[in-house]
Amino acid sequence: MSPKRAVTLQDVADHAGVSRGAASFALTGRNGVSEATRERVRASAEALGYRPNLSARNLRAARTGVIAVYLPAVAPTLSYYAEATFGIVNEAMAAGLVVTLVPSPAPGTILPRLRADGLIAIDPAPGDPALEQLLSAGMPVVSGEEMPAEYRRVRGEVRSDHTAATLRLLDHFHANGAKAPAVISPEGSLGWAEEVTTAYRAWCAEHGIKERVEVVRLDSLPESTVAATETLLGARDPADAILALTEGSVLNVLTSATEYGRSAGNDLLVAAAVDSPALQFTEPTITAIDLNPREFGRACMRIMLDVLEDRASTSEVVRHNVPIEINFRDSTRGKRV
Amino acid sequence: MSPKRAVTLQDVADHAGVSRGAASFALTGRNGVSEATRERVRASAEALGYRPNLSARNLRAARTGVIAVYLPAVAPTLSYYAEATFGIVNEAMAAGLVVTLVPSPAPGTILPRLRADGLIAIDPAPGDPALEQLLSAGMPVVSGEEMPAEYRRVRGEVRSDHTAATLRLLDHFHANGAKAPAVISPEGSLGWAEEVTTAYRAWCAEHGIKERVEVVRLDSLPESTVAATETLLGARDPADAILALTEGSVLNVLTSATEYGRSAGNDLLVAAAVDSPALQFTEPTITAIDLNPREFGRACMRIMLDVLEDRASTSEVVRHNVPIEINFRDSTRGKRV
DNA sequence: CTGAAAGCGCTTACAG
DNA sequence: CTGAAAGCGCTTACAG
């Protein structure tokens, strides 16, 4: 509205009666300026409503002020990624950085080279050409979940203990009467899904229980999900508890249960490996692992900030663990007595 | 990886044997340079892999290169907003602009003043203090859906014809045997929800059918959604078709139907006013209005670009309509004969 | 402890 | 049609 030009560092310096350099030193907290002067400059800045021009600052520092975030192609469909992104944005804003989402390019398309000071890649998948291109830009990288070994080393890695959570959930199934738990997992390369499935297999081995893993195809999700449910529930020896990795597959199991003469939450336990808001609205409500995506995103950005400010080790990968929990709901309550 | 400094306009000029100014003119397509020179400069830029430094360009132009996007607080839970955001980002990238998401502040929190060249506000709600603060920054604003009248005029407004889609869906209900359609809507101020509900009321009036509108409270969504379903289905004179505005409420209706002795898709028609991926995975699959969020986002950004480049009228609001469709699925197929 | 000056990479009046 | 110069707002060696 007000067409008056923005207040500049020079304005602040003039107002405080010092040179521009001194004002800069005072405001950025560098040594070389008396405490009294610093206070005076701060007061002037405050009074004038000074806000540093980031373009100028970035130009000077040979930075862009931008952090790129790369999400899997399925991102828009999963509230998990939206939450994680908001976590990243939150933390970035506080540091005066801007976050740019890198859209997964349509297959065959090439990404425009992007200017950024760092890249946060969530759930990086092996063999993703766009990811490869991004990594080759040479900026520091923090990954959410494990970066596939084939790629160059990352500076930071944020993870969660999916194995422990999975085992706990399977124990919960077991305690509530399940003898034949199963897993429905998307095919391919999400490290997270693989970790859950591997934990499941280990649990089965330890308990001497037959493995039931159904894999759904990403290119025909609805159909293959229906088929997976049928295989698990229509078998002569059907599953009596299902851990579904995606929202689609839990919902399919839950809403198909009666077709197979089962009652979800009662003689068929159902849980999701990742929570989402919808799971509180079904009847019965659905037990799910709460991946704490907001905090996960924040953690990624915090490590990125450490890296950018040279507070992070350059020789080894900074690792951080985000705790996850289980939201127990009615779908795993088991037979009523 | 390569620590060699970025190639600058000066490098291109040297390579092409012209002055920096001439190179600038050539590359930005301005007049004042011969076609031959222009070509030579272009070739040099190409050969050297020149990419303009946006910080410098922005500094010069007194811009930030950033477009702020403001979404409702519920954004992370709805795939609609994620899709719209990706649409915005897509279009922005092509124009060399960066998108920053403004997180809805926790109540009472104040937003840090943000630097941006423009603001895109999706589903702006009347009385939102954060929105008010953002608008007062004085940058050009484009709104997705109608900007509440109390706020200052926007430069652009992207909308969809929810009324027409709603009427069409109600006709579809009717054609498939529904005599008592109902609506479950979130309380409050989303203009979109109000438009759908108003269209519903008009339809009821026209058909001489009793209105059944249940409003769910945002602060206790799951509980009040359950209550809404109960009111509609447990009544002496129950609804036989339900248009639910949110994913949560459709899922609740669908999964509760049998409790009330109803069969969704058969003697109880169910539809959602906004599509989401989960709705293809339920049994039955759920009919929904496809709001085309990606295109909606793109349209917002395209108008913003027109405004920023002064291609848009300054005297009147630029308006654009994004067409929406209905994805017909099994939940509204009606009684099998 | 402070000030004057240079320079980050660009664009754009202004002379030639 | 082209070149030399100024300046966007900042930070930071360098002298004093």
Side-chain angles (χ1 to χ4, degrees):
Chain A
M1 285 283 71
S2 43
K4 59 171 181 287
R5 68 179 187 74
V7 11
T8 167
L9 186 59
Q10 184 67 252
D11 299 333
V12 175
D14 292 348
H15 187 274
V18 300
S19 74
R20 200 161 78 242
S24 175
F25 274 47
L27 259 18
T28 55
R30 286 194 55 190
N31 282 341
V33 74
S34 69
E35 205 42 51
T37 306
R38 193 184 298 278
E39 261 325 307
R40 200 148 35 89
V41 173
R42 278 209 190 114
S44 297
E46 174 86 12
L48 300 178
Y50 171 68
R51 316 226 52 224
N53 179 319
L54 296 186
S55 295
R57 187 177 271 182
N58 289 329
L59 172 59
R60 185 74 243 279
R63 285 194 256 98
T64 64
V66 174
I67 303 297
V69 172
Y70 185 67
L71 304 170
V74 294
T77 73
L78 267 30
S79 66
Y80 171 83
Y81 292 106
E83 288 281 2
T85 303
F86 272 71
I88 293 172
V89 169
N90 261 271
E91 207 71 30
M93 267 209 130
L97 291 173
V98 154
V99 169
T100 185
L101 267 47
V102 184
S104 282
T109 323
I110 201 123
L111 279 175
R113 187 152 72 207
L114 92 158
R115 279 200 185 276
D117 299 334
L119 173 71
I120 297 179
I122 307 287
D123 284 352
D128 177 341
L131 181 57
E132 206 146 353
Q133 193 200 326
L134 285 173
L135 293 176
S136 72
M139 56 189 117
V141 176
V142 169
S143 80
E145 297 299 328
E146 191 174 27
M147 180 63 75
E150 67 207 79
Y151 294 126
R152 87 180 183 72
R153 199 154 174 179
V154 296
R155 296 291 304 276
E157 202 167 88
V158 176
R159 308 198 50 186
S160 291
D161 192 347
H162 302 297
T163 300
T166 303
L167 296 178
R168 230 182 114 209
L169 187 52
L170 291 169
D171 287 343
H172 171 68
F173 274 171
H174 198 67
N176 285 358
K179 305 264 181 278
V183 159
I184 300 181
S185 171
E187 71 175 339
S189 36
L190 270 81
W192 156 77
E194 229 154 85
E195 186 176 339
V196 171
T197 306
T198 302
Y200 165 81
R201 292 190 203 277
W203 188 92
C204 287
E206 194 189 320
H207 290 71
I209 282 178
K210 179 182 152 198
E211 285 176 15
R212 280 161 238 247
V213 176
E214 281 303 305
V215 172
V216 296
R217 293 175 44 200
L218 292 171
D219 60 348
S220 62
L221 261 189
E223 298 75 11
S224 63
T225 301
V226 168
T229 302
E230 175 164 14
T231 305
L232 292 177
L233 296 185
R236 228 181 312 114
D237 175 22
D240 60 6
I242 296 182
L243 171 58
L245 292 228
T246 65
E247 187 182 52
S249 48
V250 230
L251 288 176
N252 186 64
V253 169
L254 189 87
T255 56
S256 304
T258 54
E259 271 182 58
Y260 297 97
R262 311 291 286 276
S263 164
N266 195 8
D267 60 1
L268 175 66
L269 308 190
V270 181
V274 46
D275 202 2
S276 74
L279 305 187
Q280 296 178 59
F281 287 87
T282 52
E283 168 51 41
T285 54
I286 302 176
T287 293
I289 298 177
D290 183 350
L291 260 21
N292 215 342
R294 205 109 183 182
E295 177 51 28
F296 195 85
R298 302 191 100 99
C300 290
M301 183 50 99
R302 258 184 259 120
I303 293 185
M304 179 56 81
L305 291 172
D306 285 345
V307 168
L308 294 179
E309 322 252 276
D310 285 322
R311 285 187 304 249
S313 159
T314 56
S315 59
E316 51 186 297
V317 181
V318 181
R319 298 188 183 284
H320 181 80
N321 183 274
V322 174
I324 56 185
E325 293 141 55
I326 302 179
N327 289 144
F328 295 103
R329 302 202 181 98
D330 293 343
S331 66
T332 54
R333 93 170 96 64
K335 285 207 172 67
R336 305 262 183 63
V337 203
Chain B
M1 287 279 77
S2 43
K4 57 171 182 287
R5 67 179 186 76
V7 8
T8 167
L9 186 59
Q10 185 65 71
D11 298 333
V12 175
D14 292 348
H15 187 274
V18 300
S19 75
R20 200 161 79 242
S24 176
F25 275 48
L27 259 19
T28 54
R30 287 194 54 189
N31 282 342
V33 74
S34 70
E35 205 42 52
T37 306
R38 194 185 296 280
E39 259 324 307
R40 202 147 35 86
V41 174
R42 278 210 189 112
S44 297
E46 173 89 11
L48 298 178
Y50 170 69
R51 316 225 52 224
N53 179 320
L54 296 186
S55 296
R57 188 176 272 183
N58 289 330
L59 173 59
R60 185 75 241 280
R63 282 194 257 99
T64 65
V66 174
I67 302 298
V69 172
Y70 185 67
L71 304 170
V74 294
T77 73
L78 265 32
S79 65
Y80 171 82
Y81 293 107
E83 288 281 2
T85 302
F86 272 73
I88 292 172
V89 168
N90 261 273
E91 207 72 28
M93 265 209 132
L97 290 173
V98 155
V99 168
T100 187
L101 267 50
V102 184
S104 282
T109 323
I110 200 124
L111 279 175
R113 187 154 68 208
L114 91 158
R115 279 197 183 281
D117 299 335
L119 172 71
I120 297 179
I122 307 287
D123 283 351
D128 177 341
L131 181 58
E132 206 147 350
Q133 194 199 329
L134 286 172
L135 293 176
S136 72
M139 54 187 119
V141 176
V142 169
S143 80
E145 297 300 328
E146 191 174 26
M147 180 63 74
E150 67 208 75
Y151 293 127
R152 86 178 184 74
R153 200 156 172 174
V154 297
R155 297 291 305 275
E157 201 167 87
V158 176
R159 309 199 47 185
S160 291
D161 192 345
H162 302 296
T163 299
T166 302
L167 295 179
R168 231 180 114 210
L169 187 51
L170 291 169
D171 286 343
H172 171 69
F173 273 170
H174 198 67
N176 285 359
K179 305 262 181 282
V183 158
I184 300 181
S185 170
E187 70 175 339
S189 36
L190 270 80
W192 156 77
E194 229 155 87
E195 184 173 343
V196 171
T197 305
T198 302
Y200 165 80
R201 292 190 201 277
W203 188 92
C204 286
E206 193 188 324
H207 289 71
I209 283 178
K210 177 182 150 198
E211 284 177 15
R212 279 162 240 249
V213 176
E214 281 302 306
V215 172
V216 296
R217 293 175 43 201
L218 291 171
D219 59 349
S220 62
L221 260 189
E223 299 74 14
S224 64
T225 302
V226 168
T229 303
E230 176 166 11
T231 305
L232 293 177
L233 296 185
R236 227 182 314 116
D237 175 22
D240 60 6
I242 297 182
L243 170 58
L245 292 230
T246 65
E247 188 182 51
S249 49
V250 230
L251 289 176
N252 186 64
V253 169
L254 189 85
T255 57
S256 305
T258 54
E259 270 182 59
Y260 297 96
R262 312 292 285 275
S263 166
N266 195 10
D267 59 3
L268 174 66
L269 308 190
V270 181
V274 45
D275 203 2
S276 75
L279 305 188
Q280 297 179 59
F281 287 88
T282 51
E283 169 50 42
T285 54
I286 302 176
T287 293
I289 299 178
D290 183 350
L291 261 21
N292 216 341
R294 207 116 184 172
E295 178 51 29
F296 194 85
R298 304 191 99 100
C300 290
M301 184 51 102
R302 258 185 259 120
I303 292 184
M304 179 58 80
L305 291 172
D306 284 347
V307 168
L308 293 179
E309 322 251 278
D310 287 322
R311 285 186 304 249
S313 159
T314 56
S315 59
E316 51 186 298
V317 182
V318 182
R319 300 188 182 282
H320 181 81
N321 183 274
V322 173
I324 56 185
E325 293 141 56
I326 302 179
N327 289 144
F328 295 103
R329 303 204 183 97
D330 292 345
S331 66
T332 52
R333 100 172 90 65
K335 285 210 169 69
R336 306 257 186 62
V337 206

